[in-house]
Amino acid sequence: MDKQAEQRTITRDGQLLLGKMAKEQVETVWDRLAAQQPQCGYCEMGLSCRICAMGPCRIDPFGEGPQKGVCGADADIIVARNLGRMIAGGAAAHSDHGRDLVEVLAAVAAGEAPGYQITDEEKLRRLAAEYGLETDGKDTLVLAGELAAALQEEYGTRKGYLTMTGRAPEKRRQLWQAQGISPRGIDRETSEMMHRTHMGVDNGWQSILLHGLRNALSDGWGGSMIATEVSDILFGTPRPGPNTVNIGVLKEDQVNIIVHGHNPVVSEMLVQACEDPELVALAREKGAAGINLAGLCCTGNELLMRHGIPVAGNHLMTELVIGTGAVEMMIVDYQCIMPALGALAPCYHTRMISTSDKARFPGMVHREFHPDNAAELARELVREAVENFANRGETYIPVQAVPSVGGFSVEAILDALGGTPKPLIDAIVAGKIRGAVGIVGCNNPKIKHDYGHVTLTKKLIEQDYLVVDTGCAAVANAKAGFKVAEAIRYAGPGLREVCGSLGIPPVLHMGSCVDNVRILVLAAALANALQVDISDLPLAGAAPEWYSEKAVSIGAYFVASGVYTVLGPLPPIAGSMNVVKLLTEGLNEVVGACFAVEPDPLKAAELIMGHIEGKRRALGLTARD
Ligand code: SF4
Ligand code: MSK
């Protein structure tokens, strides 16, 4: 086995494909990371600023060089501004994704989106009622149009509050109000962050960071929550079902089409097109046994959650999948799609297609999807992928797919519990389940691929902590075999007993990055049932391999919602001890939770278990030392 590949990833498919691509002299994300060494120390510490044209400026961390930028900003201000802008970037990405779904909902209501429909009418009516709309006897499409308009309103500011924050416990909402961090509008908070961090506006590092929490809350209880709820209305609320994961999901004898990105608006149309009997017959005519659709990253998670569509890999597998030589077409929407991907196309026969008006990539052919052309364009693309099967050369699919179960929406979890969170609460009170941990986020080539997710998850379930996961963490844990009912063998005795009796795995796949809001809703349901705040619960979050701005926003809304959150990679804040102290200690006084940073997943597990046992003790429950 290639030693370098073993250092880069714990996954067998990843190691084998890295070895193959190294022999073929095809560059990957790890090679580019190596070529970037040493990376800029100022930037790593958050101490460089290029916000205005008097700069760029940097602060000397050793105190010998400049301690102020040209405008006079010191290390605290520069670090806080940089972090604030990262949160704004992440919140904008999630929230714009949500807006795209609302636009599809509006187009469905107007009869301008052939191929799309209202799949979960019950959820449509429930959400419409939450928004104060009259639902009785109202035509479904009329109600869909009214709801779309009400959701679009959340992005502006006229109302001055976000309706779905009403799902948070009363105590939490009062705390947000008291701290001045209740989100007032989705676009408003992101826009205000960009304003505050312009030169000469907010130069209080604390007030910038507090606004960062408000900005993140506008994502978690706003933009992302809209994305998840509207996706459920349009495409169905997930229910548990079987699927398979890793590179082995590609089929030697079939036309393989990969979808990559985040927004199910495009990938859902491809699900339908791949099942079109005419196109399946065409594939057979061309010598293939059928058409195989598989996902990557979070658009993959969206399809896995709702249809059991297989997932070929997570973030760091996106280049390696093409290296199999078995992918006829990769169709991308947006977010987490490395611009390097298009350059791989000439090395293999894969056709690379971009689809979003806001996301172009070098080396990809742009075929733009809109609600009115999506169904037809999806069929065209599948036809072209089928035609490309004849161009396939040698293939390399070196592993068998791993079985997994996904689809644990909050509704599905409550159903599994008999319609109420009480059995879960009883198991926590009895100490059979010590608490619950949300493990979320990306891969980052600075951390051995999947090592952080899998090691942390394994340690926690062994010790009777229930794990729920999303995003690339969820794919890592599925590949590790933690998501079948038999995986209770990895769990401690209490967790094994509870999951065994419910017939569920000890690690529950709750969806994509935007679906982190399902974790918020579940936490709020538990807190409301116990009449406490979220910060009182024996819960924690972790992002062991995060890389993206979206992950920074997610971490910030977890903490602002009262969930202690442990990050693997250190964000660029080390240049300001004031910022570090506020984020890792001071926030406890503000929102009852804080961040920790611990790249070693075993040590992170210790931190999380210590935190949860402390919360148990405070609730008067049995606690381990
Ligand atoms: Fe330099 Fe200040 Fe401009 Fe930043 S905002 S680049 S610190 S002058
Ligand atoms: S895809 S944001 S690498 S989880 Fe959502 Fe994965 Fe992180 Fe992208």
Side-chain angles (χ1 to χ4, degrees), residues 475-488:
V475 177
N477 284 335
K479 284 186 289 178
F482 294 153
K483 293 193 176 158
V484 282
E486 303 75 56
I488 55 172

Side-chain angles (χ1 to χ4, degrees), residues 262 297-298 315 336 441-442 471-472 513 547-548 550:
H262 282 77
C297 283
C298 283
H315 183 53
C336 304
C442 324
C472 290
C513 315
Y547 92 90
S548 88
K550 292 181 292 170

Side-chain angles (χ1 to χ4, degrees), residues 87 91-92 94-95 154-155 162 165 181-191 211-226 553 557:
I87 293 173
H94 280 150
S95 300
E154 297 284 77
Y155 286 83
L162 297 180
T165 54
I181 58 170
S182 293
R184 298 156 297 176
I186 297 168
D187 286 346
R188 176 172 184 172
E189 306 309 357
T190 294
S191 179
H211 184 71
L213 297 184
R214 175 155 58 176
N215 195 175
L217 288 170
S218 78
D219 171 2
W221 298 86
S224 280
M225 207 167 270
I226 287 176
S553 178
Y557 73 61

Side-chain angles (χ1 to χ4, degrees), residues 87 94 213 216 219 440 516 541-543 546 548-567 587 593-595:
I87 293 173
H94 280 150
L213 297 184
D219 171 2
V440 309
N516 281 309
W546 74 275
S548 88
E549 290 172 326
K550 292 181 292 170
V552 182
S553 178
I554 292 165
Y557 73 61
F558 265 33
V559 168
S561 299
V563 182
Y564 170 73
T565 298
V566 182
L567 304 174
L587 285 183
C594 68
F595 286 100

Side-chain angles (χ1 to χ4, degrees), residues 313-332:
N314 48 9
H315 183 53
L316 289 186
M317 294 301 292
T318 56
E319 292 173 295
L320 307 190
V321 169
I322 296 176
T324 61
V327 178
E328 272 58 54
M329 185 175 278
M330 180 183 282
I331 302 166
V332 308

Side-chain angles (χ1 to χ4, degrees), residues 89-130:
H94 280 150
S95 300
D96 205 37
H97 166 168
R99 181 183 358 243
D100 286 340
L101 282 150
V102 176
E103 286 181 353
V104 174
L105 182 66
V108 169
E112 292 165 357
Y116 297 98
Q117 61 185 21
I118 305 298
T119 301
D120 190 340
E121 182 167 343
E122 199 257 313
K123 187 167 249 197
L124 167 74
R125 291 191 177 274
R126 197 159 17 109
L127 197 61
E130 193 174 341

Side-chain angles (χ1 to χ4, degrees), residues 75-93:
D76 297 334
I77 297 171
I78 289 178
V79 168
R81 278 198 310 219
N82 287 337
L83 190 70
R85 286 192 168 206
M86 285 186 90
I87 293 173

Side-chain angles (χ1 to χ4, degrees), residues 49-52 54-57 69-71 73 78 81 199:
C49 180
R50 52 177 180 74
I51 279 176
C52 86
M54 294 191 285
C57 305
V70 176
C71 66
I78 289 178
R81 278 198 310 219
M199 203 305 274

